[in-house]
């Protein structure tokens, strides 16, 4: 008699009527696993808090990893000193990826740090796992329960069923203020589109023949109509010695309506293909042999953001206003992509620094929620200068400490002096 292939038994089942959601409890629930959410989750775990990290994508890393941004921007100050303005999670990333040769530095008006997105993605996953952070991926908010002036729990839809997460404190690092929106709290919307980008990585680049950034931008401006390019400028970030480059040369819509968002993703890749054709034809020595290694997920700069107790203004950014409740700083330019052809680019003086106040991260009508990252409160131009990764990482760290200090009380009542002491490396040289 032949030996059975397996003794595994299979049962026929049906979903039970009215089956309850999975229940999860934590000290801190962080919504969004990009740089701001990761910083908040890791710092909260280091403070001894039980953390749940939730993201709509099936993988961690947010846009930092999955949109192929390619550069850490806003971590350092301007030339000639290039002071490091944000520490915390960036110290760890720079140490570990620097040791394996998976970073490179570019010094122009400021210092940016390029990275290998595959290596960074694995670093994110390993670090989250090592800190005992529980993760829920592929999860979209479907409901928020508020008890008076506190959020008590959030319900997420996943492919494995609904999940209810109750927590003492919450961080909205979703990028689109998704938690704040679903909680019925006030949000800001720009009156016209602020464009995102379809990033991509190309390989087989002859780096030694690559054009200077100004030459590339000038050629795009002159030939955009001929090649059907929507954006009239753009940048290519070369990883030295690897023959690869990240291309940031498109402008795509970033709608919050589901069908329009999917259509924008398709259009973004079509734009990216036209960029590749342009580079092959116009700069054949550098790009004649390039092939696309990867298309990123659609990159979104500014879509919907939360109303805070204070709206950061362009005047405050330009003046470098140091707030009593400052928690993050940067020297990154105003970079507002509200025109399909190009963008506003306003740089600052060598010693300039501007700050983010905790009040811009604090919705006024709830006591246990903070916002971190690109959906904090600011006017459109001010937000464009603080939504890059350096200050976003600092905001995540600040949110972790503010919730730790508040405990079961209110984030509105914490001691800003004590918070500044905890965050001193992100506020003082």
């Amino acid at each position: 008699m032949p030996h059975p292939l397996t003794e595994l038994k299979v049962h026929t089942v049906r979903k039970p009527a009215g089956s309850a959601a999975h229940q999860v409890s934590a000290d801190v629930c962080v919504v969004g696993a990009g740089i701001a959410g990761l910083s908040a989750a890791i710092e909260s775990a280091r403070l001894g808090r039980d953390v749940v990290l939730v993201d709509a994508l099936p993988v961690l890393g947010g846009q930092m990893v999955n949109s192929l941004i390619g550069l850490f921007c806003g971590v350092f100050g301007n030339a000639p000193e290039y002071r490091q303005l944000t520490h915390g999670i960036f110290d760890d990333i720079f140490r570990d990826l620097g040791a394996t040769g998976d970073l490179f530095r570019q010094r122009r008006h400021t210092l940016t740090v390029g990275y290998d997105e595959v290596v960074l993605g694995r670093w994110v996953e390993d670090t989250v796992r090592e800190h005992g952070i529980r993760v829920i991926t592929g999860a979209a908010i479907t409901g928020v329960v508020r008890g008076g002036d506190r959020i008590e729990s959030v319900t997420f839809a996943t492919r494995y069923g609904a999940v209810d997460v109750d927590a003492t404190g919450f961080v909205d690092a979703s990028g689109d203020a998704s938690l704040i929106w679903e909680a019925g709290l006030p949000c800001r919307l720009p009156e016209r589109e602020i464009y995102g980008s379809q990033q991509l990585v190309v390989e087989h680049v002859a780096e030694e023949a690559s054009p200077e950034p100004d030459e590339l931008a000038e050629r795009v401006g002159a030939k955009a109509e001929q090649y059907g390019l929507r954006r009239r400028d753009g940048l290519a970030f070369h990883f030295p010695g690897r023959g690869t480059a990240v291309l940031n040369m498109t402008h795509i819509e970033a709608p919050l309506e589901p069908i329009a968002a999917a259509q924008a993703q398709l259009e973004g890749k079509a734009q990216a293909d036209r960029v590749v054709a342009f580079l092959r034809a116009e700069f054949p020595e550098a790009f004649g042999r390039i092939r696309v290694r990867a298309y990123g997920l659609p990159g979104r700069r500014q879509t919907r953001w939360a109303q805070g107790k204070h709206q950061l203004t362009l005047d405050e950014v330009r003046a470098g206003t140091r707030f009593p409740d400052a928690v993050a700083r940067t020297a990154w330019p105003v970079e507002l992509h509200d025109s399909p052809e190009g963008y506003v680019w306003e740089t600052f003086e060598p010693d300039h620094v501007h700050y983010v106040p905790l009040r811009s991260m604090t919705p006024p009508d709830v006591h246990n929620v903070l916002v971190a990252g690109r959906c904090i409160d600011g006017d459109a131009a001010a937000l464009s200068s603080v939504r890059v990764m350096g200050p976003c990482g600092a905001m995540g760290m600040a949110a972790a400490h503010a919730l730790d200090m508040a405990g079961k009380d209110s984030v509105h009542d914490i001691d800003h002096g004590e918070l500044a002491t905890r965050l001193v490396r992100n506020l003082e040289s």
Side-chain angles (χ1 to χ4, degrees), residues 70-244:
L71 290 179
F72 291 115
C73 298
V75 181
F76 292 87
N78 293 334
E81 293 187 15
Y82 299 122
R83 290 183 296 151
Q84 186 172 341
L85 302 177
T86 304
H87 294 272
I89 192 172
F90 293 107
D91 289 341
D92 301 330
I93 292 172
F94 295 165
R95 179 196 64 225
D96 293 344
L97 271 67
T100 57
D102 293 305
L103 295 177
F104 66 93
R105 300 188 178 215
Q106 293 187 153
R107 290 173 172 82
R108 294 195 176 102
H109 77 278
T110 186
L111 191 155
T112 55
V113 181
Y115 56 85
D116 184 306
E117 75 283 352
V118 175
V119 178
L120 179 60
R122 289 294 298 121
W123 183 92
V124 166
E125 293 164 344
D126 286 341
T127 302
V128 165
R129 182 170 49 84
E130 288 164 6
H131 283 82
I133 297 167
R134 289 178 288 168
V135 171
I136 304 171
T137 53
I141 299 173
T142 59
V144 177
V145 175
R146 289 175 59 182
D149 50 16
R150 301 181 75 86
I151 289 182
E152 294 182 349
S153 66
V154 181
T155 300
F156 299 90
T158 79
R159 64 183 297 175
Y160 308 106
V163 183
D164 287 341
V165 179
D166 64 83
T168 305
F170 293 84
V171 179
D172 187 340
S174 66
D176 301 319
S178 298
L179 175 58
I180 300 302
W181 177 257
E182 294 295 341
L185 297 167
C187 294
R188 315 274 194 189
L189 280 175
E191 66 177 4
R192 64 177 181 270
E193 190 87 41
I194 297 176
Y195 292 91
S197 285
Q198 173 62 61
Q199 308 270 100
L200 64 159
V201 175
V202 294
E203 56 191 359
H204 305 308
V205 179
E207 182 187 344
E208 67 282 356
S210 294
E212 292 296 320
D214 290 346
E215 181 186 358
L216 176 60
E218 182 180 352
R219 189 76 59 87
V220 174
K223 297 292 187 86
E225 186 172 348
Q226 176 183 337
Y227 288 91
L229 306 183
R230 184 168 195 179
R231 182 171 168 179
R232 300 309 200 243
D233 52 40
L235 298 166
F237 311 121
H238 300 274
F239 200 114
R242 297 196 181 180
T244 64

Side-chain angles (χ1 to χ4, degrees), residues 288-337:
R289 296 178 56 249
I290 61 171
R291 295 178 59 86
V292 176
R293 188 176 79 181
Y295 296 90
L297 296 181
R300 300 160 75 87
R301 290 186 173 91
Q302 296 166 242
T303 52
R304 176 181 61 209
W305 54 93
Q307 178 184 316
K309 292 177 68 176
H310 176 83
Q311 184 179 54
L312 184 66
T313 68
L314 177 59
D315 286 344
E316 290 166 338
V317 166
R318 285 172 168 164
T321 303
R322 174 69 181 262
F323 305 96
D325 60 337
V327 295
R329 60 182 174 168
T330 189
W332 193 253
V334 174
E335 185 196 351
L336 185 57
H337 293 251

Side-chain angles (χ1 to χ4, degrees), residues 10 39 43 73 154 170 267 312 388:
V10 177
S39 180
E43 193 69 17
C73 298
V154 181
F170 293 84
E267 167 59 24
L312 184 66
V388 292

